[in-house]
Amino acid sequence: PGENETKVNLEELKTSVLYSGPVDPAEWVGLRKSYPLLVYLRNNLLMLAILAFEVTIYRHQEYYRCRNNLTTPVTKTIFHDITRAHLDDGLVNCVKYFINYFFYKFGLETCFLLSVNVIGQRMDFYAMIHAFWLIAVLYRRRRKAIAEIWPKYCCFLACIITFQYFLCIGIPPAPCKDYPWRSGNANFNSNIIKWLYFPDFIVRPNPVFLVYDFMLLLCASLQRQTFEDENKAAVRIIAGDNVEICMNLDAASFSQHNPVPDFIHCR
């Protein structure tokens, strides 16, 4: 580009995809020459193997239940004979209970921790949006109020990760057209482009950030299912309810409101 076409210095232009070397249009759609071919396809084959293994297990379970006239368990757990009543019945049963229902009890807190992790790892414009959403969710305070806004939060996460995916792909470099924020009239530098997570041929968006967003979306989706399970009587009987206990109760008389044995004020 000429002197009036861009404000990028020569050192940065050498790292640009447009000017560092010949551009292969096939790489934009995910195709490139590779040898050996098996190394190039091993991740795809691994995903197919995992999906086939999952389908085999589910089909085998369905066939086994139909053959033996068994009903599908209410909760998808490992230890079906462990309920809320076994939580305080020894350390082994406590471990089994939390293997079954850890996310049922602490899924919301896990989502909050993952949201803070996304903010700390990204530290960009989208991290600020995640922070606003975290404040909005925490402002509801009550669990029932958070459950009402949670589907909107999941929708936001799904939309924003899709949008960022297209930002990481960007426009194809084959037409040799640079982005408008790299023109001579734009007051953008590489740090601002990186913070705004704009597509760019010099400072390309970091796709690793999408992994953090995906983990948050995965846990948020599981928590949405947990909120739905909390409204089912069968799940509450087996796993226990997540009803909030008033914080103004006297500690000495707490046992009359809590069905769990009191190990502190039992004297």
Side-chain angles (χ1 to χ4, degrees):
E3 296 181 357
N4 298 328
E5 295 180 6
T6 181
K7 293 182 179 179
V8 183
N9 55 45
L10 185 60
E11 296 297 328
E12 286 185 324
L13 282 179
K14 291 180 179 179
T15 62
S16 175
V17 178
L18 296 180
Y19 310 111
S20 60
V23 177
D24 186 4
E27 291 189 3
W28 187 76
V29 295
L31 300 176
R32 69 173 183 268
K33 294 182 179 180
S34 179
Y35 182 83
L37 186 60
L38 184 60
V39 177
Y40 180 70
L41 298 176
R42 61 183 178 182
N43 293 330
N44 302 78
L45 297 176
L46 180 62
M47 292 175 60
L48 291 176
I50 293 175
L51 291 175
F53 182 68
E54 180 187 14
V55 172
T56 303
I57 291 176
Y58 279 110
R59 290 293 183 183
H60 176 73
Q61 289 178 343
E62 184 179 357
Y63 172 75
Y64 181 81
R65 294 191 183 106
C66 292
R67 185 178 181 181
N68 296 277
N69 295 324
L70 300 176
T71 59
T72 304
V74 179
T75 58
K76 297 180 180 180
T77 55
I78 298 177
F79 306 102
H80 299 297
D81 56 339
I82 298 297
T83 62
R84 178 62 179 84
H86 300 88
L87 176 59
D88 301 289
D89 188 16
L91 183 60
V92 176
N93 289 336
C94 179
V95 173
K96 290 182 178 179
Y97 176 82
F98 280 112
I99 290 176
N100 287 343
Y101 304 108
F102 175 82
F103 203 88
Y104 178 82
K105 287 295 184 181
F106 300 105
L108 188 60
E109 291 78 7
T110 303
C111 292
F112 291 156
L113 291 176
L114 286 176
S115 180
V116 174
N117 177 66
V118 169
I119 297 171
Q121 293 291 342
R122 298 190 60 117
M123 297 296 289
D124 58 0
F125 175 73
Y126 292 94
M128 184 174 63
I129 297 178
H130 280 285
F132 287 149
W133 260 102
L134 180 61
I135 294 172
V137 172
L138 291 175
Y139 182 75
R140 307 299 291 262
R141 299 182 62 180
R142 295 179 62 252
R143 189 177 182 89
K144 286 294 183 182
I146 294 177
E148 294 176 357
I149 198 177
W150 201 258
K152 299 179 181 178
Y153 182 57
C154 293
C155 182
F156 155 74
L157 293 176
C159 293
I160 199 171
I161 194 174
T162 305
F163 179 69
Q164 292 177 92
Y165 176 77
F166 287 112
L167 289 182
C168 290
I169 295 177
I171 61 176
C176 296
K177 296 291 183 180
D178 213 338
Y179 292 97
W181 40 85
R182 285 299 185 180
S183 63
N185 299 325
N187 294 322
F188 285 88
N189 56 33
S190 297
N191 291 330
I192 296 178
I193 293 174
K194 182 179 179 180
W195 186 80
L196 292 174
Y197 206 70
F198 278 174
D200 190 67
F201 292 121
I202 299 177
V203 185
R204 285 171 287 182
N206 189 0
V208 179
F209 289 163
L210 298 184
V211 178
Y212 305 124
D213 288 358
F214 172 76
M215 295 303 299
L216 177 58
L217 174 61
L218 177 62
C219 290
S221 301
L222 293 175
Q223 182 58 37
R224 182 181 179 181
Q225 182 64 42
T226 300
F227 282 138
E228 295 178 358
D229 292 340
E230 290 177 0
N231 298 324
K232 300 177 181 178
V235 177
R236 292 199 301 268
I237 293 174
I238 298 176
D241 56 53
N242 290 331
V243 179
E244 299 169 344
I245 300 177
C246 181
M247 299 178 60
N248 298 324
L249 294 176
D250 184 18
S253 61
F254 187 72
S255 59
Q256 63 181 348
H257 303 278
N258 191 355
V260 180
D262 189 355
F263 300 103
I264 299 178
H265 298 90
C266 57
R267 298 178 182 176

